[in-house]
Each structure stands twice: as C-alpha cells, then as structure tokens.
Amino acid sequence: MRLNLGGAEVFLRAEGLEEAPGGVRLWGREVRVFPPFPAKGFFRHGWQSWSLAAWVDPARAPTPLLPEARRPQADDPFLLEAGAWWGSGVGALKGPDGKVLLLGALDLGARVLGREDLLLGRYAERGGAWFLAYGPEEVFAAYARLLLKRLSGRPPRVWCSWYSFYTRISEDLLLRVLDEVAAFSFEVFQIDDGWQRALGDWEPNERFPRGMAFLAERIRERGLRAGLWFAPFLVTADSPLFQKRPDWVLRDEEGRPVRAGFNWGRPLYALDAGNEEVVEWAADLVRKALAWGYDYLKLDFLYAAALPGAEGEARYRKAMARLREAAGEAYLLFCGAPVLASLGLADGLRVGPDVAPYWDNEERSFWLADPTGPGLRNALRSTLHRLWLMENVHVDPDVVYFRTRFNLLSPEEMRLQEALAHFTGFKATSDPPSWLLPEEKGRLEAFLAREVPVRRLGPYRFRVGEEEVDYAPLL
C-alpha cells in the first residue's frame, strides 16, 4: 500500500494500519517498508544492555568475527549469525537530509532488518503491532512514548565495588572503603561480584565470615542504602546447583546445556526461566537479599533468562515480573538485560557495555570485531544511541572515573562519561576515596552534590553547564 507519512510517500506491506500519535500503527508477523530515499545509515539496535546500538552503513555487511563461545552474552545470537544488519525490536533508516524512517515493535520478540531500500520487521513466533514514523530523530521519542514505563524520582547516587576491586573483595576491605564513602554524598553502597560462593550458590564465601546481613547493617548505620549484585539465571558447570539440579539447566532440542557465553575463564550456562521451580528459586533469592537488608539490587546477565534470543523474550518477561513482584519497592537495576523486554519492570537499566579505565581494548575491537566488550568507547557509543529511553526508565551509563590511579583514561575522556551521567541523572562511581588526589575528591563531591544543567544541542552535542561537549569526533 502507499502512504503519505510525514510529508513523504512511503510504500509498505502490512496486514493492517491505523493512525497513532506521531506516526501510524501497523499489524503483521512481517511488515515491509520501502523508504522514499536511498538510505545513508541504518540504526541497528542491539538486543541487550551490552549489544551494539549505533548507526551503521547498510551497504556494508557486518563482520561476524566474534568468537562463537561469546556470542550469547554479546547479542541475540541470530543477529550476529545472520550476515546482514538485523536489529532487536526497532530499526531506522536515515535519508540524505537527515530525516529518519523508524519501524519499532510494540510487542515482544521482534527483529528489524535494514537495507538501503528496505526496512523489514519480523516477529520470531507470532504476529504483533508495529509503530512507523518519518521525520527528525524525535521519532525515537514518539516510539518510546508507546512503550512501557517505570519511572519515579531521580536515580540514586551509587558507589559500586566492581570497577576498582573486581572479584577481589572481602568484608574487611569493604568496611574500610565504607568509612571513606560515607563521608561523601552517596546514597547507595553496592557490593558487586565476588561475595558469593559460586554462580548459582548465592551464599557468602569465606571472605565474608559474618555474612551479608552484617554488612548490610553496617552500611545502613552509615546512612546509606545497601546494594547487592547477583546473576539469578546464570550458572557454571562446577556450581553445586548445576550438579544438584541438572533439570534446571536450559537445554537444546538434543538435551545439551545451552551455552550462555564465556566469562571468569569458563563456559556459562543458563537456568531455564520457563521452569516454574527455577523462577520461584530466583524470586526467593530476591526475597533473601531483602531479608538481609539490601534494597538496591543489581541483577546481571539477565539475557540468560531469554536465550536463545527474541524467541525467549516472553519467557523472560514473565520470569522477571515474578522477581519484580518479589522485590516490592526495592530498586532493581537490570544489567545484561534484553532492553525493550525489560521496560516497565526495571527501575534502572544499563544501556551499554561495561566501562573500563581505558578507552578501547584494541585487540578485542579490531581483531575480534567485538563492540560489546568493556571499554569507555564501547559504553559511550551504545548509551548515546539509547538516550531516547530516558522517559521510560532510569538510563544507566555506568560509572564515572575521577581517579588517575590505575587509570589510562585521559581527562577529556573522563569528562565525556561525566557529562553523560549529568545528562541521564544516573551518577555512580567505583573509585575508593583513598585513591583520589585532593582535587579529584573535590570533583567527585561536586559531581554528587550539584545538579548541572545539561541541554542537548544535536545527536552527539551537549551543553553541560557552560561547557559544550561533542562526542561525534571520538565515536
């Protein structure tokens, strides 16, 4: 059919059509939209937090060099193996005049293919609704307004243990850092990976002799909320849970455990989020953390509950709704999470890969064509391309660095991340105050305490206070 959309004539194939705010609503398991221009760019939206979200050249096919073992934790495996520019849930083509033709799914389990002459949207299992719009990049905001929301107040100010100590944490170390952190304007002290016995065995290890409730009480005594990390649907083969309940592990049609990636020097596996016992066990983990005294929970590697990709999003959402119910009013930060399928459930949502105290891992980025690995460049790129979600959820750009100790980032690079944190309002760091020079401590306190006016001047240009920040030359 032929449609006049935003002043342009667009041809499309769909089962149905009606007007919608800012565009039109379509129906069909598969819809095809033919742009009124040869596209100069395709907005490729990755599946989960760490997956690439960026404008790419639709005339150049992606380079699938990412090791197969890592693909499940990098993106929807289908997107990485298709040999074409497919994205998750939403895609857009950009014309020579900068205007955008956007096609976004309004139901779960969709993918969008972008070519110079075509946007093709397809649901993995059954038909559903779509939103189609044409105009300036504000069409992304029009699409976001049709998606689910969970947005209340501003994000908390967070200190997180991960980016300084990684898994090398202990009760004694965290108590020392807590004394330092309590002198600043933080609101949450979050314990990250390294406290547990094993993935799937979510009890404190020998480095936490007085238990996690003891630490939560010490944190609250200092006037802070207690935060805790765990990955409820992830397991490794050496975990006692894997040995005790092999029937809980997600398996393929031949009965083999489904690979969920590779990390910590070993293969990762997923628990079956379609198994009622697994979901109740995961909900009990949330209730246990709350009983210990933690009311800020960072739930990580959540894509594992949705493998093998778009086909598992309905299963994922049903399982995560149970965890949301168990959490009550506790703050849930979703990480490594299917982005669109998490809306309405997460309070905060990581929208880029992990940052790191370096700009880029050139070996990983160049030789493996992996845009999902830790590094500030990768994190900034995907976060910038997901800022249109800010009216739906607290957008987490990850932590800001203030330290020069153990840090390869330049002052200019650190300011780029700080500006993005001001813009999203999600302010976090992992720097122990004892690692900071006096002027760095002053910048940290100002970062936490002051609300700096930020105005967006263009897709990659911002005015932060009196300073103009432009990300385009670096990305």
Side-chain angles (χ1 to χ4, degrees):
M1 67 183 78
R2 181 182 298 176
L3 176 68
N4 187 290
L5 188 68
E9 192 173 71
V10 176
F11 291 86
L12 60 92
R13 296 177 187 171
E15 295 174 11
L17 178 152
E18 72 175 21
E19 294 293 323
V24 296
R25 195 184 302 260
L26 308 176
W27 281 272
R29 181 172 183 185
E30 179 177 295
V31 300
R32 292 173 180 256
V33 183
F34 302 91
F37 49 72
K40 300 300 182 184
F42 171 59
F43 177 72
R44 190 271 186 190
H45 185 251
W47 182 47
Q48 49 110 324
S49 302
W50 310 322
S51 309
L52 174 67
W55 288 97
V56 299
D57 183 352
R60 298 179 62 183
T63 308
L65 296 180
L66 195 65
E68 186 175 355
R70 228 189 86 78
R71 291 179 191 175
Q73 78 190 78
D75 214 326
D76 177 344
F78 169 85
L79 303 185
L80 295 175
E81 296 163 9
W85 284 121
W86 284 88
S88 175
V90 59
L93 296 177
K94 184 177 290 186
D97 60 357
K99 287 188 176 181
V100 169
L101 180 67
L102 178 144
L103 178 66
L106 299 175
D107 296 300
L108 298 176
R111 301 174 176 123
V112 178
L113 169 70
R115 296 195 324 223
E116 293 174 281
D117 60 349
L118 174 68
L119 274 177
L120 185 152
R122 180 182 295 155
Y123 280 98
E125 295 185 333
R126 59 181 65 83
W130 302 87
F131 175 71
L132 179 67
Y134 176 68
E137 289 205 20
E138 285 76 7
V139 294
F140 284 94
Y143 171 55
R145 291 185 194 107
L146 300 176
L147 303 177
L148 294 172
K149 299 181 180 182
R150 183 182 173 89
L151 199 62
S152 177
R154 65 164 176 80
R157 308 313 199 215
V158 181
W159 187 88
C160 162
S161 65
W162 179 248
Y163 297 94
S164 295
F165 303 111
Y166 297 98
T167 59
R168 302 181 301 274
I169 56 173
S170 67
E171 179 184 293
D172 288 343
L173 172 65
L174 292 178
L175 287 174
R176 290 198 301 272
V177 177
L178 174 60
D179 285 339
E180 303 171 18
V181 167
F184 290 79
S185 301
F186 288 101
E187 295 164 327
V188 174
F189 185 91
Q190 186 238 306
I191 301 168
D192 215 282
D193 182 16
W195 64 271
Q196 73 280 4
R197 292 176 185 165
L199 294 177
D201 187 357
W202 300 104
E203 292 291 337
N205 59 42
E206 69 282 356
R207 299 194 302 273
F208 294 82
R210 287 177 283 190
M212 303 313 292
F214 169 81
L215 264 179
E217 187 175 357
R218 301 289 82 74
I219 294 168
R220 295 198 309 275
E221 285 176 353
R222 302 309 299 265
L224 298 165
R225 296 173 65 180
L228 191 65
W229 171 95
F230 56 97
F233 293 99
L234 205 63
V235 70
T236 53
D238 58 352
S239 164
L241 183 67
F242 190 101
Q243 306 297 327
K244 182 180 178 182
R245 297 304 305 259
D247 55 314
W248 283 12
V249 177
L250 183 67
R251 297 178 183 272
D252 62 19
E253 294 178 353
E254 298 180 6
R256 295 171 300 191
V258 171
R259 285 287 187 97
F262 189 91
N263 209 33
W264 298 282
R266 68 195 72 180
L268 307 177
Y269 299 97
L271 297 179
D272 184 358
N275 183 321
E276 175 61 27
E277 288 185 309
V278 169
V279 176
E280 184 58 24
W281 174 83
D284 277 343
L285 290 179
V286 171
R287 287 188 279 263
K288 177 167 69 174
L290 265 61
W292 282 341
Y294 296 88
D295 66 348
Y296 176 100
L297 304 180
K298 179 182 175 184
L299 307 182
D300 208 350
F301 291 83
L302 292 181
Y303 68 86
L307 288 174
E311 298 89 339
E313 286 185 7
R315 169 172 25 96
Y316 166 82
R317 187 161 183 90
K318 184 177 179 181
M320 294 309 299
R322 289 278 295 280
L323 270 62
R324 174 76 265 174
E325 181 182 10
E329 293 306 308
Y331 193 98
L332 296 186
L333 173 64
F334 286 15
C335 190
V339 172
L340 299 181
S342 297
L343 298 179
L345 298 175
D347 296 290
L349 181 62
R350 174 75 68 74
V351 293
D354 282 12
V355 297
Y358 47 80
W359 180 246
D360 203 3
N361 182 328
E362 293 186 5
E363 179 178 296
R364 182 179 238 164
S365 297
F366 182 78
W367 294 108
L368 301 181
D370 181 4
T372 71
L376 185 55
R377 177 175 181 266
N378 286 345
L380 286 172
R381 176 174 50 205
S382 286
T383 299
L384 283 163
H385 290 109
R386 285 175 168 149
L387 294 177
W388 49 274
L389 290 167
M390 282 178 56
E391 293 185 16
N392 300 77
V393 68
H394 289 158
V395 166
D396 174 17
D398 211 0
V399 303
V400 177
Y401 290 92
F402 295 93
R403 69 190 197 231
T404 50
R405 184 180 182 184
F406 306 128
N407 187 2
L408 299 177
L409 294 168
S410 70
E412 292 76 15
E413 290 164 350
M414 287 190 282
R415 276 197 291 272
L416 290 175
Q417 180 70 346
E418 184 178 347
L420 205 53
H422 280 300
F423 185 74
T424 65
F426 203 113
K427 297 185 177 184
T429 189
S430 198
D431 294 345
S434 61
W435 289 11
L436 301 178
L437 300 171
E439 60 269 27
E440 294 166 353
K441 290 181 180 180
R443 285 184 51 231
L444 169 60
E445 184 53 50
F447 170 73
L448 295 171
R450 289 192 299 121
E451 296 294 338
V452 176
V454 181
R455 185 161 59 94
R456 196 165 190 173
L457 305 176
Y460 304 114
R461 289 173 55 242
F462 298 79
R463 181 167 295 282
V464 184
E466 299 301 316
E467 180 185 11
E468 187 171 316
V469 179
D470 188 359
Y471 294 86
L474 295 172
L475 296 176

